[in-house]
Amino acid sequence: LVDWWEKSSENKTTKENMLALSGKSTAEEIADPILTVEETDVMDFLEQGMTTEEIVTNTRSSKRKITNILDNLFKIAHVENRTDLVRWWRTRKTDTVKSE
């Protein structure tokens, strides 16, 4: 379903490169972290209520990769469970729309 998952190892953009391209300072990044395309897609799937296994199936990725992405997202959002992670995601999306 998601073509970029198959190509992600070929054209991987690091967070450092994304930060440089965004023009954000490190302090701004901490306040409003930049998510990779993979992290954003996983959050969208999570918001739909998908389990890890369903996300693995939809992305055609390994369970380990999805688990690592989720662990990273928990750290970024400073939360410990999926419910709080989705709340953080929805707030973040709302804030982004309001500021545009």
Side-chain angles (χ1 to χ4, degrees):
L1 269 179
V2 183
D3 292 336
W4 66 263
W5 282 89
E6 295 169 6
K7 299 176 184 177
S8 65
S9 60
E10 299 169 12
N11 300 320
K12 207 162 215 175
T13 303
T14 65
K15 286 207 174 208
E16 292 80 19
N17 288 341
M18 292 175 68
L19 182 59
L21 291 171
S22 75
K24 285 186 173 183
S25 69
T26 306
E28 289 171 321
E29 162 66 4
I30 291 168
D32 182 23
I34 298 169
L35 300 184
T36 65
V37 174
E38 292 172 335
E39 290 167 340
T40 300
D41 284 350
V42 168
M43 283 307 310
D44 287 337
F45 288 133
L46 199 60
E47 185 178 29
Q48 294 172 34
M50 289 188 185
T51 64
T52 300
E53 293 300 327
E54 290 169 326
I55 296 170
V56 166
T57 300
N58 278 284
T59 60
R60 297 187 206 125
S61 189
S62 70
K63 183 174 182 177
R64 183 176 181 171
K65 181 172 185 170
I66 299 303
T67 301
N68 287 341
I69 290 171
L70 285 168
D71 288 344
N72 190 45
L73 287 165
F74 287 129
K75 290 175 190 168
I76 290 170
H78 305 286
V79 298
E80 295 181 8
N81 61 62
R82 289 171 178 244
T83 302
D84 289 340
L85 187 57
V86 170
R87 259 190 219 115
W88 171 82
W89 179 242
R90 288 179 177 160
T91 302
R92 189 173 193 274
K93 286 178 18 177
T94 303
D95 290 346
T96 303
V97 171
K98 285 180 184 176
S99 63
E100 291 179 0

